[in-house]
Amino acid sequence: MRWMNKHYIWNVIGWLVIVLLAVLTIPNMSKLVADKGQITVPSNYQSTEATNMQKKWGRSQRGTTAVVVVFSNGNTALTSDQNKQIDKTKRIKNHEDQYQIRSMTAASDSSTAASQLISKDKSTQLLQLNVRKSSSHSITSIRDQITQLAKTDGVKTYLTGADVLNQDFSDATQAGVQKTEIIAAIFIFLVLWLVFRSPVTPLFSLLTVDVSVITSISVVANLVDRFNFPFSNFTQVFIVIVLFGIGTDYNILLYNEFRERLANGQDRYSATKEAIKIGGRTVLYSGLSVLIGMSVLGFANFSLYRSAVGIAVGVVVCF
């Protein structure tokens, strides 16, 4: 029995070290999602081939991102005073070098530009920018800089563009992952408390699942960062949801096995050993089926489905 106590203590210490290493070595997830988390279609689709061909055109615009500043007065036409304020905002042109703006197209440039950049009801006006992007001048910094520079008195200003939308989507995904973890933890705690009528059991269950989730996300993130492992905006959400689900399910199974043996008169040490032996076999077979199913997704052509293979890594860690 003393050997078993020492054995479990060393297991706890080992997992604490693993979690610490996982937290310390995890890459910047927001940057990872922005750089490698975009959902793409297979390269043999016409849309992808056309995009690759388009990238070969306009060499002067390579390494830039299109940013559109939107000036709006809701459903009411912009007044002359508001148009004057918008014209003043075009002082952005005076900061082209500072903010690495390669080109700018405004409604005031020509009548042709005005017909394309001013809405028919005169309530909205656009300003098109091509801004240089690089590792030191990221989409996040571009978005923040241009948003601050485009603020106009008396007019609502918005920022859009393909890369800006992708970045906003990535930020929203990261925020969603955090909310998912909190909501899942609360519901699982309540369910386990109702099942076992004890606050201690849910806490232990959540602790073990949290360790699995943190370690899994760190392992997957490092694989993505170093070896281009399949990844998307939704990989973290997939891992969190599946591991919280199956992890809690496996814990309930083991706890029930343990409680049943206690009820049969076994002491807690032998009950633990038997519960792990009998229940662990069921967990192993069940987990293997999930592992195989998630691993097969790695052969999918669509990047979103392929990115779910990260769940397989999570299942291995959860074991």
Side-chain angles (χ1 to χ4, degrees), residues 13 44 66 91-92 99 138 171 173-174 190 220 224 241 250 259 266 314 318-319:
I13 293 174
N44 61 332
R91 65 184 184 280
I92 293 174
Y99 295 105
S138 64
D171 293 345
T173 301
Q174 294 300 306
L190 292 175
V220 170
V224 173
I241 292 174
Y250 296 160
R259 192 166 60 175
Q266 291 183 329
C318 191
F319 278 178

XYZ file of all heavy atoms in Angstrom, residues 13 44 66 91-92 99 138 171 173-174 190 220 224 241 250 259 266 314 318-319:
165
model
N 3.224 14.315 -9.517
C 4.369 15.202 -9.764
C 4.714 15.215 -11.249
O 5.003 16.266 -11.837
C 5.582 14.750 -8.930
C 5.298 14.962 -7.436
C 6.832 15.529 -9.332
C 6.380 14.409 -6.525
N -6.634 21.600 -56.123
C -7.082 21.265 -57.469
C -8.424 21.906 -57.834
O -8.923 21.713 -58.938
C -7.178 19.740 -57.628
C -8.174 19.107 -56.659
O -8.402 19.645 -55.575
N -8.742 17.972 -57.048
N -5.245 44.592 -48.742
C -6.252 45.604 -49.060
C -7.067 45.915 -47.810
O -7.612 45.012 -47.173
C -7.160 45.106 -50.186
N -6.084 62.785 -44.338
C -4.715 63.128 -43.955
C -3.880 61.857 -43.839
O -2.663 61.918 -43.680
C -4.716 63.846 -42.603
C -5.191 62.966 -41.452
C -5.270 63.750 -40.152
N -5.644 62.896 -39.016
C -6.873 62.522 -38.730
N -7.873 62.915 -39.503
N -7.132 61.767 -37.687
N -4.586 60.695 -43.874
C -3.870 59.413 -43.890
C -2.780 59.452 -44.948
O -1.699 58.884 -44.776
C -4.855 58.249 -44.179
C -5.833 58.089 -43.004
C -4.122 56.942 -44.406
C -6.924 57.065 -43.246
N 2.965 54.567 -41.967
C 2.113 53.390 -41.809
C 2.252 52.419 -42.973
O 1.432 51.514 -43.126
C 0.660 53.833 -41.646
C 0.448 54.621 -40.373
C 0.293 56.000 -40.412
C 0.433 53.991 -39.140
C 0.118 56.735 -39.244
C 0.258 54.713 -37.968
C 0.101 56.089 -38.031
O -0.065 56.815 -36.869
N 2.176 43.356 -38.696
C 1.134 42.340 -38.791
C -0.228 42.960 -39.077
O -0.411 44.174 -38.974
C 1.068 41.536 -37.488
O 0.675 42.387 -36.423
N -9.644 36.330 -33.785
C -9.823 36.875 -32.434
C -11.123 36.382 -31.809
O -11.167 36.042 -30.627
C -9.813 38.414 -32.486
C -8.458 38.974 -32.880
O -7.472 38.221 -32.835
O -8.393 40.170 -33.243
N -12.639 33.634 -32.552
C -12.479 32.210 -32.267
C -11.772 31.990 -30.943
O -12.172 31.140 -30.136
C -11.686 31.520 -33.398
O -12.375 31.702 -34.638
C -11.530 30.033 -33.123
N -10.703 32.756 -30.705
C -9.970 32.632 -29.447
C -10.859 32.973 -28.260
O -10.842 32.295 -27.227
C -8.745 33.558 -29.465
C -7.690 33.187 -30.482
C -7.143 31.802 -30.254
O -6.678 31.471 -29.174
N -7.206 30.961 -31.277
N -21.905 20.838 -12.561
C -23.275 20.677 -12.085
C -23.782 19.253 -12.302
O -24.419 18.665 -11.417
C -24.202 21.675 -12.793
C -23.982 23.155 -12.444
C -24.876 24.038 -13.308
C -24.253 23.408 -10.969
N -0.357 19.991 -29.824
C -0.832 20.269 -31.184
C -0.243 21.582 -31.701
O 0.212 21.658 -32.856
C -2.373 20.331 -31.217
C -2.863 20.851 -32.566
C -2.966 18.954 -30.944
N 2.062 22.087 -34.995
C 1.689 23.011 -36.066
C 2.823 23.981 -36.336
O 3.185 24.245 -37.489
C 0.408 23.789 -35.679
C 0.109 24.876 -36.713
C -0.775 22.851 -35.558
N -14.098 20.671 -26.690
C -15.424 20.043 -26.606
C -15.311 18.520 -26.479
O -15.949 17.908 -25.612
C -16.269 20.423 -27.829
C -16.613 21.913 -27.798
C -17.555 19.599 -27.870
C -17.326 22.410 -29.030
N -15.458 9.103 -19.252
C -14.546 8.078 -18.741
C -14.393 8.189 -17.224
O -14.313 7.174 -16.515
C -13.173 8.216 -19.400
C -13.187 7.981 -20.899
C -12.159 8.459 -21.703
C -14.221 7.278 -21.509
C -12.169 8.250 -23.079
C -14.238 7.062 -22.867
C -13.202 7.553 -23.657
O -13.214 7.338 -25.006
N -17.020 3.145 -6.823
C -18.080 3.208 -5.822
C -18.758 1.846 -5.651
O -19.137 1.451 -4.525
C -19.103 4.269 -6.236
C -20.092 4.613 -5.145
C -20.845 5.878 -5.464
N -21.604 5.795 -6.704
C -22.416 6.751 -7.151
N -22.548 7.864 -6.436
N -23.069 6.603 -8.278
N -14.953 -3.763 -0.357
C -13.519 -3.651 -0.585
C -13.003 -2.347 0.029
O -13.720 -1.353 0.125
C -13.211 -3.678 -2.090
C -13.468 -5.032 -2.748
C -13.066 -5.015 -4.220
O -13.151 -3.984 -4.880
N -12.632 -6.150 -4.728
N -5.284 14.725 -28.702
C -5.907 14.947 -27.411
C -6.355 13.645 -26.748
O -6.233 13.482 -25.532
N -5.250 12.178 -23.202
C -6.311 11.888 -22.223
C -6.181 10.481 -21.657
O -6.501 10.240 -20.491
C -7.686 12.067 -22.872
S -9.081 12.038 -21.719
N -5.696 9.535 -22.477
C -5.476 8.170 -21.992
C -4.492 8.176 -20.824
O -4.540 7.382 -19.926
C -4.910 7.288 -23.106
C -5.980 6.752 -24.037
C -5.625 5.984 -25.113
C -7.307 7.032 -23.810
C -6.600 5.486 -25.972
C -8.286 6.537 -24.657
C -7.921 5.758 -25.739
